[in-house]
Amino acid sequence: MTTSRLVTPFTAKSTAAEVIAGIDLGGRRAIVTGGASGIGIETARALAEAGADVTVAVRNVEAGHRAVKDIVAMTGNAKVHAAALDLADRASVASFVATWDGPLHILVNNAGVMASPEMRTLEGWEMQFATNHFGHFALAVGLHRALAAAGAARVVSVSSAGHLISPVVFDDIHFRRRAYEPWPAYGQSKTANALFAVEATRRWADDGIAVNAVMPGAIRSNLQRHLDAVELERMEARMNQSSDFEWKTPEQGAATSVLLAASPLLDGVGGRYFEDCNEAEPNRPGSRRGVAPYALDPAAAARLWQVSLDMLAS
Ligand SMILES: NC(=O)c1ccc[n+]([C@@H]2O[C@H](COP(=O)([O-])OP(=O)(O)OC[C@H]3O[C@@H](n4cnc5c(N)ncnc54)[C@H](OP(=O)(O)O)[C@@H]3O)[C@@H](O)[C@H]2O)c1
């Protein structure tokens, strides 16, 4: 495995189509969660364009079918499907896993919810952690055998610069003792997405499975649905003043996920965090770029894995 920082010829401005140009994914099977909107639809489209058999795993199956129709029309690849998956519902994840048959070469854990008001699953788990991290954890663990069967599978864990807001607060993951706050809840779930890549790579590298995390960039999408007008204005103002990020198009937003999912530049690379199509530098205090040390901490990653297994078994 390479240990120096991985740098590619691609940048923040690169699109998914540019990153995947010349790559043939014929015969490969891919799943993109949340593949019916925003970055997910562009990720699914790029993988389909390269010839992969793509399943968009969505909770709104009608929206999934619309996305599939659109992707098939644009790419001419008829091997694109929609399947029901609600990441916040364990039964739904289990049923998705149970119907999957055969090898899985690419899993893009892309779906997410951001800064929602306090919501809980049937089990009483905090909704952002349950959806963004735990649902994807259960999905990947459930599909582990299919990933191993592929020989050299890739898993992409879509994180965010939002991880800089909070580490995983192991003493109170579900906000039972502290007051609920939408952004710290999002932050810890996105740290969990990065930590998942670290521990999954440690556990699964011998099965040929490489797992990396990605900050896709700032993209206007349905993700901002829980922000009110004042918060949206504040976000726009922050973006305009900051030199850390510029808004990306969804096609640019999907580029880093697609790079991690399909590029030979990533062969043998796992457990790392990328942004703007390159491995991220360590975060510098005050900056919204880079990766926090706690998001790559092997001890926290192992602890999160055990907590997640306990949730799965509960
Ligand atoms: N946009 C950005 O600026 C940005 C920045 C950093 C990181 N990200 C990350 O990028 C990923 C994609 O975001 P996006 O901008 O493309 O947002 P989006 O357009 O809102 O897409 C998110 C997708 O997740 C799905 N989803 C939410 N809860 C789900 C559940 N319980 N089960 C299954 N699917 C569920 C949504 O489905 P419904 O349509 O049914 O709600 C939607 O398709 C997220 O993980 C996000 O955290 C985005």
Side-chain angles (χ1 to χ4, degrees):
M1 283 226 173
T2 333
T3 49
S4 55
R5 178 170 166 258
L6 197 139
V7 177
T8 78
F10 301 106
T11 68
K13 302 238 182 272
S14 301
T15 62
E18 287 165 359
V19 160
I20 208 158
I23 296 174
D24 180 6
L25 295 181
R28 310 270 180 90
R29 300 169 79 208
I31 294 172
V32 181
T33 68
S37 81
I39 301 165
I41 197 167
E42 294 307 327
T43 304
R45 197 195 307 277
L47 298 176
E49 186 74 57
D53 178 312
V54 181
T55 298
V56 294
V58 292
R59 63 175 166 180
N60 178 344
V61 182
E62 245 174 64
H65 286 310
R66 281 197 299 275
V68 166
K69 210 170 149 200
D70 181 44
I71 294 171
V72 171
M74 281 191 75
T75 63
N77 179 349
K79 296 187 302 294
V80 185
H81 334 269
L85 174 71
D86 183 345
L87 290 158
D89 175 352
R90 282 200 284 185
S92 170
V93 176
S95 133
F96 182 93
V97 166
T99 53
W100 188 265
D101 194 20
L104 173 61
H105 304 82
I106 296 169
L107 171 61
V108 186
N109 286 338
N110 161 84
V113 56
M114 180 178 81
S116 53
E118 183 167 5
M119 287 190 271
R120 292 188 179 271
T121 65
L122 286 176
E123 296 86 353
W125 298 334
E126 190 283 311
M127 187 59 84
Q128 296 190 70
F129 186 82
T131 306
N132 299 352
H133 166 65
F134 178 70
H136 283 128
F137 174 83
L139 180 68
V141 167
L143 292 169
H144 172 239
R145 208 177 301 170
L147 289 163
R154 304 266 184 97
V155 181
V156 180
S157 186
V158 180
S159 179
S160 166
H163 85 271
L164 296 168
I165 300 169
S166 175
V168 174
V169 179
F170 285 103
D171 292 343
D172 192 18
I173 284 178
H174 297 295
F175 290 82
R176 293 192 172 113
R177 288 196 293 280
R178 50 186 169 146
Y180 178 75
E181 287 185 83
W183 283 107
Y186 181 65
Q188 85 161 351
S189 75
K190 291 288 139 181
T191 294
N193 289 146
L195 290 173
F196 170 75
V198 173
E199 181 65 8
T201 296
R202 193 186 72 75
R203 288 177 177 250
W204 295 348
D206 287 348
D207 299 319
I209 304 168
V211 189
N212 288 290
V214 49
M215 153 57 175
I219 300 98
R220 291 184 186 89
S221 70
N222 291 330
L223 196 69
Q224 288 91 28
R225 76 182 77 176
H226 294 296
L227 308 187
D228 62 23
V230 176
E231 245 183 315
L232 275 174
E233 227 169 82
R234 230 183 274 148
M235 186 183 245
E236 291 281 349
R238 249 200 335 259
M239 287 289 294
N240 292 339
Q241 285 160 10
S242 157
S243 55
D244 285 341
F245 294 112
E246 282 179 26
W247 288 111
K248 287 185 183 182
T249 63
E251 293 85 349
Q252 292 169 331
T256 313
S257 289
V258 168
L259 180 90
L260 299 185
S263 172
L265 295 169
L266 267 289
D267 280 348
V269 174
R272 304 192 191 191
Y273 177 102
F274 290 75
E275 65 188 357
D276 295 340
C277 295
N278 287 279
E279 188 174 355
E281 308 252 20
N283 170 254
R284 282 193 310 275
S287 159
R288 295 184 63 240
R289 292 187 61 78
V291 59
Y294 58 67
L296 293 176
D297 174 21
R303 187 174 179 188
L304 176 67
W305 195 278
Q306 190 53 53
V307 166
S308 309
L309 282 180
D310 293 346
M311 285 171 71
L312 203 55
S314 66

